[in-house]
Amino acid sequence: MADFGGDVDTFRTEARAWLEANFPKSLRRDEELDWASAMVADKPTDDAKLWKQRIVAKGWGTPTWPKEYGGGGLSQSEARVLGQEMARVGADNPIQGMGPGMFGHTLLEYGTEAQKLRHLIPISRGEQRWCQGYSEPGSGSDLASLQTKCEDKGDHWEINGQKIWTSGAQYADWCFCLVRTDPKAKKHEGISFVLIPMHQPGVETRPIKLIAGSSPFCETFFTNARAAKDDLVGPLNGGWTVGKRLLQHERSGQGNMRGAVSVSIADIAKKYVGVDEQGRLADADLRSRLAKHMIDAHAHNLTLQRAVAEARGNLNPSATTSVMKNSGTWVGQERAELTLEIMGAQGLGWDGDDFSKDERQAVRSWLSGKATTIFGGSQEIQSNIVSKRILGLPDTTQAT
C-alpha cells in the first residue's frame, strides 16, 4: 500500500474506493452488533469468508500493527478514517476479539520477538482466538488480590485456580492470564503474566447465561494446567505492569465507539415517530433529549480525535482511556435506551416475524450494554484512576 504520509484525505479516498470494490453488500449492518452477540461463534456465510480473506490480505483487520506481523502499518489517524469509512458502508471488521483488540497491542510492547512471530500473525488472520484470565470469584475490583497459583515445575509452569467472566473462553485457543507466582511478596509484586493453551485436559470452561440471550462469559477452572516456560510475557513477578497496560488497551477500545453506525438515531426516530409539517421530529420532548444525546456523542468523538492528535507518535494509551471508557459507555447506553423508546412496542421484540432483525438486535444490544459500565473496570474504578492520575487528587483507596 502507498505511503500516505499523514494525508488522511488521500487515504480516505483510497479506503472508500477499496471498500466499495471489496465489501460484500450482503453483509451491510446498519446497527453495530452488540458485544455479547459478536463474541458468539456463528458459522460464517460464503460472503463473510470472502470479506475476511480480503481484509486479512490488505492487513486492515489489525490496521495499526506493523506489516511484518500481519498488520496494515497505518497511523492512528488513518486507522480512525478506515473505521469511519467501514461504518459508512455498514461493514464490521471480521478480525475481532481480545487477540487483536487487547492482547496483540500488549505483546507488541512486552513480548519477545519469538512470541510476536508465534502469535501476532495468526491473530491478524483470525486464526487464533484469545480470552482474558483476570477476575476471580474473590478478586474483582481488587484484582491484585488474585489467588490463581502458578508454580515453576522446572521444564514448565503449572497453574491451579479459577477465573470468572472469561469472555469467549469456550471458543478460545489461548488465555492471557494473571497468576500468582510469589505468594510471599506484596500482592502487586507477586503476579506474573502467562499465556495458557486452552486445549488441554487441565482447563475446563462453563458458560454463564446472560439476560441478552448470549453466553460469552464463562467460569474457567485450571487443574494442573500447563504452560511452557517461554509463555511468560514480561519479567517473572512483573505481570502487574503488563496487565495494567493491557487494561488500558481494553478501555481504549471500549471508549472508541463505532458511533459511526450507518443509520443515525435521528433517522430511526423519524421512521418510527414521524415528523411534523416543518420536517422536525413530531415529539418535542423526545426531540430535545435526542438532540442532547447527539451533542454528547459528537463531543465524545471530537474528544477522542483530540486525544489521538495529542498522542501522535505515542501509540501507547494513557490514563485518558479511563475518561473515554466512561464517556463512550455512557453514550452507548443512552443510545440503546433512546432507540427502544423510539421503537415503542416494536422495541420489545425478542423473536418472531412481527419484529425485524434490527428491532430484535436493538433489544439485545440494550440488555447486553448494561454490562459495559462494569466490565473492563467499572465506572467507579475509572473515576478513581482519573482522580489520581489526571487530576492529582489524593489516593484514598488504601492500596497495599
Side-chain angles (χ1 to χ4, degrees):
M1 188 178 70
D3 180 3
F4 294 95
D7 185 351
V8 293
D9 291 331
T10 301
F11 177 74
R12 186 182 297 277
T13 301
E14 196 267 357
R16 181 170 296 184
W18 187 86
L19 288 168
E20 290 290 348
N22 289 277
F23 176 61
K25 302 300 186 291
S26 66
L27 301 180
R28 179 184 176 92
R29 189 187 303 280
D30 290 334
E31 281 286 333
E32 184 177 11
L33 191 65
D34 71 275
W35 68 270
S37 298
M39 294 195 72
V40 176
D42 292 327
K43 184 177 180 180
T45 63
D46 289 342
D47 277 354
K49 293 177 183 177
L50 178 63
W51 171 230
K52 181 178 178 179
Q53 290 171 0
R54 288 174 174 174
I55 206 164
V56 166
K58 191 73 171 175
W60 284 358
T62 48
T64 61
W65 290 12
K67 293 183 179 181
E68 61 265 33
Y69 302 127
L74 302 185
S75 68
Q76 293 285 353
S77 297
E78 289 168 342
R80 182 164 179 79
V81 167
L82 175 62
Q84 292 168 349
E85 291 302 309
M86 289 177 66
R88 188 184 64 83
V89 299
D92 285 322
N93 187 341
I95 309 301
Q96 295 189 19
M98 295 185 178
M102 298 158 55
F103 172 65
H105 296 290
T106 308
L107 196 65
L108 281 168
E109 183 174 358
Y110 289 97
T112 65
E113 186 62 19
Q115 288 171 335
K116 293 175 186 177
L117 291 172
R118 182 183 184 189
H119 295 298
L120 293 180
I121 292 176
I123 290 173
S124 73
R125 295 173 179 167
E127 298 170 351
Q128 195 181 82
R129 299 191 67 166
W130 288 79
C131 63
Q132 178 184 33
Y134 273 31
S135 295
E136 298 181 4
S139 302
S141 296
D142 183 16
L143 178 60
S145 67
L146 63 89
Q147 296 299 311
T148 293
K149 184 168 60 175
C150 179
E151 295 180 290
D152 187 345
K153 294 299 182 179
D155 62 342
H156 70 279
W157 301 105
E158 183 178 273
I159 300 97
N160 285 278
Q162 178 187 356
K163 295 292 181 177
I164 198 165
W165 314 124
T166 42
S167 302
Q170 70 270 53
Y171 310 119
D173 304 299
W174 287 83
C175 177
F176 52 87
C177 196
L178 288 179
V179 293
R180 187 154 304 281
T181 43
D182 186 352
K184 297 180 181 179
K186 292 183 179 179
K187 64 181 184 179
H188 290 88
E189 298 172 3
I191 293 172
S192 296
F193 190 103
V194 69
L195 313 181
I196 304 173
M198 293 292 286
H199 304 305
Q200 57 171 304
V203 178
E204 178 189 0
T205 62
R206 299 176 189 172
I208 302 170
K209 192 68 174 290
L210 299 184
I211 192 173
S214 300
S215 298
F217 286 151
C218 291
E219 297 176 285
T220 302
F221 300 87
F222 300 107
T223 306
N224 298 330
R226 296 168 65 101
K229 295 303 289 288
D230 58 1
D231 284 332
L232 187 74
V233 177
L236 180 65
N237 298 322
W240 187 248
T241 297
V242 182
K244 285 195 301 181
R245 176 64 80 188
L246 185 138
L247 285 176
Q248 287 184 317
H249 286 296
E250 178 182 19
R251 292 159 187 168
S252 178
Q254 291 167 353
N256 187 5
M257 305 177 305
R258 173 169 154 185
V261 287
S262 52
V263 172
S264 74
I265 193 169
D267 289 336
I268 295 174
K270 290 177 181 179
K271 174 184 175 181
Y272 284 91
V273 178
V275 297
D276 61 19
E277 64 278 0
Q278 296 177 276
R280 304 177 305 178
L281 193 62
D283 186 327
D285 176 65
L286 178 61
R287 186 169 69 232
S288 175
R289 289 185 289 119
L290 196 59
K292 179 183 181 301
H293 165 73
M294 294 171 70
I295 291 170
D296 289 343
H298 189 56
H300 171 84
N301 286 325
L302 289 176
T303 305
L304 186 61
Q305 291 179 41
R306 189 182 76 224
V308 170
E310 290 174 350
R312 187 165 290 141
N314 178 16
L315 298 182
N316 294 319
S318 67
T320 306
T321 59
S322 292
V323 176
M324 304 314 299
K325 196 268 186 182
N326 271 357
S327 174
T329 52
W330 288 333
V331 169
Q333 286 181 347
E334 186 177 51
R335 178 187 170 98
E337 294 277 356
L338 285 168
T339 299
L340 289 199
E341 179 181 345
I342 287 165
M343 288 181 172
Q346 292 304 114
L348 301 174
W350 186 257
D351 207 352
D353 296 335
D354 292 335
F355 303 95
S356 70
K357 180 180 179 181
D358 286 342
E359 288 166 351
R360 294 192 297 270
Q361 183 58 49
V363 176
R364 286 167 167 77
S365 295
W366 169 68
L367 289 169
S368 63
K370 296 301 181 183
T372 59
T373 43
I374 301 173
F375 64 49
S378 69
Q379 64 182 58
E380 291 83 6
I381 288 176
Q382 308 312 317
S383 296
N384 281 341
I385 292 172
V386 171
S387 71
K388 290 184 288 186
R389 300 182 188 171
I390 296 179
L391 301 179
L393 298 178
D395 183 357
T396 60
T397 58
Q398 298 180 348
T400 59

